[in-house]
């Protein structure tokens, strides 16, 4: 008789683990509280426009390839990838922007033009970033975070100083141009932390950026979700939507014995949660929770976000598929997220126009706009504040790109702290999980295996290896391997 496993949630990490567990011969059932699969990577459609609700950057294509290869498949079996050129554009002020090319030689030339001698320093920096990337992918990120000894390999020992310096120190050692500094420091925001609080080792994200490029799945990031669901279904995984898990039931020996789903008890002896880790523990009796409220409150969380999904009745000019607006004080905005949480004084923001490269995103002659402003988790969230910041973002966008767009808005939908809490049970409404700072790396993150409840496991952005879509795929694999090992 096949073993059974029930998985809570259907985001990237949950779908990844579902595939691996099914491959190992388990009967897998996935419970998703919302009416569509994908977790934070769901899709929103309106009036011929299509938006990814969450992740919009496709970096580290090798991780996706490795995932599908584990099942004898390729990404191209499920979706078509286009490499973006430019990868993205960064605005520093009116009529002041730089486009980051899709090849290294052009990037070196751009740096050299902006700051004489900087191309040489960039090459040295990227050599380090590439070595760190290879170390991370081969030696670190596929480890389960059980022991500090996981970090001790011949390659990590040789690079130990990288853990005790910061990305900011490394970037600013030789690069002086404020524009180039911002381009090199911004990718660590994907790790949920400030450049001055992120170990230099994590510069591997710069290699992912410049060395591996920025890609777009035709039809949107949701095509990846659809591909994973298709793979999982072919392996026998069952999916139930509108299935809200209300309680994890345990027996007298503190073993998982069931789940309460929509008021109905489902018997099970093995549960893996891809839902928010903090929320999942609230489904247990208080004495069976590994981590206290005080523990969670002291942790450094990645930002939340104010998001807008906007339909425009015309094509947008002077912007790229991915466009970053860094014309204000980077450090001030970061401080208002991490140090003194408040709505930002003068926010940086990001805009994404998939319809510039993907005709499926919007009707002909129109544009689908996705706007994101990083925000401190857990702060006040009102419709009035959202509207105020929408106007701020649109005013800045018009000024910097030299065009009028506010009168061309057909519709807009917002998504913010309250929505992250309600839709995803996200702790304090965070968008990306727990930041990857030194004291929240590897074995110092919340554990995959519960130490108090037998046969309860966790996967996703609050455990190893951390925030982001590629780490989520990896987290699903790690959790599955640990379950398999413990069941032998």
């Amino acid at each position: 008789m096949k073993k059974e496993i029930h998985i809570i949630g259907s985001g990237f990490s949950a779908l990844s683990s579902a595939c691996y567990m099914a491959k190992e011969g388990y009967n897998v059932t996935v419970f998703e509280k919302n009416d569509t699969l994908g977790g934070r990577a769901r899709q929103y459609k309106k009036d011929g426009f299509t938006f990814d609700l969450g992740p919009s950057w496709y970096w580290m294509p090798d991780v996706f390839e490795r995932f599908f290869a584990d099942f004898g498949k390729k990404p191209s079996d499920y979706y078509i990838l286009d490499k973006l050129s430019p990868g993205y554009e960064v605005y520093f002020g009116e009529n002041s922007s730089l486009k980051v090319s899709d090849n290294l030689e052009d990037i070196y030339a751009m740096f050299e033009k902006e700051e004489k001698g900087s191309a040489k320093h960039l090459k040295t920096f990227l050599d380090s970033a590439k070595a760190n990337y290879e170390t991370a992918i081969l030696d670190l990120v596929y480890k389960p975070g059980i022991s500090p000894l996981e970090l001790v390999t011949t390659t990590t020992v040789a690079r130990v100083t990288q853990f005790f310096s910061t990305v900011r120190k490394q970037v600013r050692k030789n690069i002086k141009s404020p524009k180039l500094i911002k381009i090199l420091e911004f990718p660590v925001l994907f790790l949920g932390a400030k450049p001055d609080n992120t170990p230099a080792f994590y510069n591997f994200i710069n290699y992912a950026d410049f060395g591996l490029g920025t890609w777009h799945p035709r039809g949107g990031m949701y095509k990846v979700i659809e591909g994973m669901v298709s793979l999982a279904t072919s392996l026998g995984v069952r999916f139930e939507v509108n299935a809200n898990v209300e309680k994890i039931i345990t027996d007298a020996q503190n073993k998982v014995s069931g789940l309460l789903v929509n008021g109905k008890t489902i018997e099970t002896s093995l549960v893996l949660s891809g839902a928010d880790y903090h929320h999942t523990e609230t489904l247990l009796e208080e004495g069976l929770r590994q981590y206290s409220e005080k523990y969670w409150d002291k942790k450094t969380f990645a930002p939340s976000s104010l998001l807008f999904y906007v339909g425009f009745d015309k094509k947008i000019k002077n912007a790229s598929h991915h466009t970053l607006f860094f014309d204000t004080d980077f450090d001030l905005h970061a401080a208002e997220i991490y140090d003194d949480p408040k709505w930002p004084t003068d926010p940086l923001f990001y805009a994404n126009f998939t319809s510039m490269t993907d005709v499926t995103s919007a009707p002909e002659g129109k544009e689908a706009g996705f706007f994101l402003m990083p925000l401190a988790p857990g702060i006040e969230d009102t419709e009035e504040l959202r509207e105020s910041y929408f106007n701020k973002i649109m005013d800045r966008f018009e000024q910097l790109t030299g065009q009028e767009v506010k009168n061309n808005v057909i519709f807009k939908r917002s998504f913010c702290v309250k929505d992250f809490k309600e839709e995803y049970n996200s702790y304090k409404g965070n968008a990306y999980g727990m930041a990857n700072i030194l004291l929240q790396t590897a074995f110092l993150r919340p554990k995959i295996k519960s130490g108090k409840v037998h046969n309860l496991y966790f996967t996703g952005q609050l455990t190893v290896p951390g925030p982001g879509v590629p780490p989520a795929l990896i987290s699903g694999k790690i959790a599955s391997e640990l379950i398999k090992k413990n069941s032998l």
Side-chain angles (χ1 to χ4, degrees):
M1 183 177 175
K2 277 188 174 183
K3 294 181 180 179
E4 278 196 330
I5 184 170
H6 290 79
I7 296 177
I8 305 172
S10 67
F12 279 108
S13 60
L15 291 176
S16 170
S17 55
C19 291
Y20 284 110
M21 295 311 298
K23 182 185 176 186
E24 289 298 323
Y26 283 74
N27 280 328
V28 182
T29 302
V30 174
F31 294 121
E32 168 55 54
K33 73 180 282 287
N34 294 309
D35 59 3
T36 56
L37 302 173
R40 298 175 195 225
R42 293 181 301 152
Q43 198 174 63
Y44 170 52
K45 292 188 176 186
K46 182 178 174 66
D47 299 342
F49 293 84
T50 301
F51 303 88
D52 287 309
L53 281 174
S56 60
W57 292 73
Y58 192 106
W59 274 4
M60 301 170 68
D62 53 323
V63 173
F64 295 85
E65 289 164 7
R66 184 168 172 177
F67 168 77
F68 284 108
D70 282 343
F71 303 92
K73 301 291 185 180
K74 305 183 296 294
S76 59
D77 292 328
Y78 299 99
Y79 53 89
I80 299 169
L81 279 177
D82 295 312
K83 192 175 188 185
L84 298 182
S85 181
Y88 55 92
E89 182 173 3
V90 184
Y91 268 89
F92 305 98
E94 285 186 69
N95 303 312
S96 176
S97 72
L98 291 175
K99 293 183 178 181
V100 177
S101 174
D102 65 339
N103 73 81
L104 273 174
E105 290 308 314
D106 287 347
I107 293 171
Y108 291 139
M110 178 190 76
F111 268 64
E112 192 65 20
K113 182 179 179 181
E114 183 65 29
E115 180 184 328
K116 190 170 177 58
S118 64
K120 174 187 173 184
H121 297 310
L122 177 61
K123 287 176 183 177
T124 301
F125 177 80
L126 288 181
D127 284 345
S128 166
K130 182 178 181 182
N132 286 342
Y133 187 87
E134 291 170 348
T135 298
I137 293 299
L138 296 176
D139 287 342
L140 297 181
V141 296
Y142 285 88
K143 300 291 177 64
I146 295 172
S147 164
L149 294 178
E150 292 171 6
L151 298 178
V152 182
T153 69
T154 53
T155 50
T156 57
V157 168
R159 311 194 69 75
V160 69
T161 57
Q162 297 275 310
F163 289 93
F164 297 101
S165 183
T166 67
V167 167
R168 170 152 292 185
K169 285 181 181 177
Q170 192 178 51
V171 165
R172 299 188 181 208
K173 182 178 179 181
N174 295 306
I175 304 292
K176 305 305 175 188
S177 162
K179 295 179 182 178
L180 300 182
I181 286 170
K182 285 181 178 179
I183 287 175
L184 288 173
E185 288 185 349
F186 107 83
V188 302
L189 298 178
F190 287 95
L191 302 171
K194 297 188 296 182
D196 61 351
N197 203 21
T198 302
F201 179 79
Y202 284 105
N203 69 7
F204 69 72
I205 200 76
N206 293 98
Y207 174 70
D209 175 0
F210 291 167
L212 300 177
T214 303
W215 301 77
H216 173 70
R218 206 173 295 173
M221 288 291 287
Y222 196 68
K223 288 295 177 185
V224 186
I225 292 290
E226 290 180 339
M228 295 178 73
V229 169
S230 175
L231 172 61
T233 302
S234 73
L235 293 166
V237 176
R238 291 178 57 249
F239 292 96
E240 293 190 22
V241 296
N242 297 311
N244 184 36
V245 176
E246 298 159 335
K247 185 177 181 180
I248 298 173
I249 304 167
T250 56
D251 64 16
Q253 286 74 47
N254 297 333
K255 294 180 179 179
V256 168
S257 61
L259 294 172
L260 187 66
V261 183
N262 293 343
K264 179 182 177 183
T265 298
I266 308 291
E267 290 187 6
T268 183
S269 59
L270 181 57
V271 169
L272 171 64
S273 179
D276 179 274
Y277 201 124
H278 168 269
H279 168 73
T280 302
E281 288 218 310
T282 68
L283 304 179
L284 294 163
E285 299 295 335
E286 191 167 349
L288 296 179
R289 300 170 191 173
Q290 293 188 100
Y291 304 107
S292 66
E293 289 299 321
K294 186 180 293 185
Y295 169 90
W296 292 111
D297 193 52
K298 286 183 177 179
K299 293 301 174 183
T300 300
F301 274 79
S304 184
S305 296
L306 171 59
L307 301 161
F308 294 103
Y309 313 98
V310 186
F312 294 98
D313 68 5
K314 70 173 185 179
K315 300 300 289 183
I316 300 296
K317 300 180 299 181
N318 304 330
S320 298
H321 182 122
H322 295 296
T323 309
L324 300 151
F325 294 85
F326 288 173
D327 55 306
T328 59
D329 189 333
F330 186 109
D331 291 333
L332 175 61
H333 191 163
E336 291 172 339
I337 292 173
Y338 296 102
D339 305 327
D340 180 22
K342 64 175 69 170
W343 282 79
T345 305
D346 209 1
L348 287 73
F349 67 97
Y350 153 67
N352 168 13
F353 303 99
T354 54
S355 46
M356 289 184 174
T357 52
D358 187 344
V359 296
T360 68
S361 296
E364 186 176 354
K366 299 178 181 179
E367 209 83 87
F370 169 106
F371 295 84
L372 180 153
M373 184 185 82
L375 193 65
I379 63 173
E380 179 188 20
D381 172 16
T382 67
E383 290 300 323
E384 292 75 18
L385 281 165
R386 297 186 191 195
E387 189 64 21
S388 167
Y389 278 83
F390 178 74
N391 289 323
K392 285 185 180 184
I393 288 171
M394 288 298 105
D395 288 343
R396 286 252 305 285
F397 183 83
E398 288 186 334
Q399 179 185 357
L400 293 166
T401 64
Q403 63 191 312
E404 292 184 3
V405 297
K406 287 172 78 173
N407 292 332
N408 299 97
V409 172
I410 304 170
F411 66 84
K412 72 174 186 292
R413 173 183 175 182
S414 65
F415 199 98
C416 198
V417 174
K418 285 197 296 189
D419 302 295
F420 280 104
K421 291 178 182 177
E422 291 169 7
E423 300 280 336
Y424 311 126
N425 294 311
S426 171
Y427 181 70
K428 292 186 177 180
N430 80 82
Y432 306 108
M434 188 183 288
N436 258 339
I437 59 176
L438 183 60
L439 295 179
Q440 294 179 179
T441 294
F443 67 96
L444 296 174
R445 296 180 74 80
K447 302 301 183 187
I448 285 178
K449 184 180 186 296
S450 171
K452 292 193 174 185
V453 178
H454 185 65
N455 276 359
L456 174 61
Y457 294 82
F458 301 84
T459 185
Q461 57 191 5
L462 293 187
T463 183
V464 291
V469 175
L473 296 180
I474 294 168
S475 184
K477 181 174 185 176
I478 295 170
S480 302
E481 288 176 342
L482 192 59
I483 292 169
K484 179 187 174 185
K485 179 182 176 182
N486 289 338
S487 64
L488 292 177

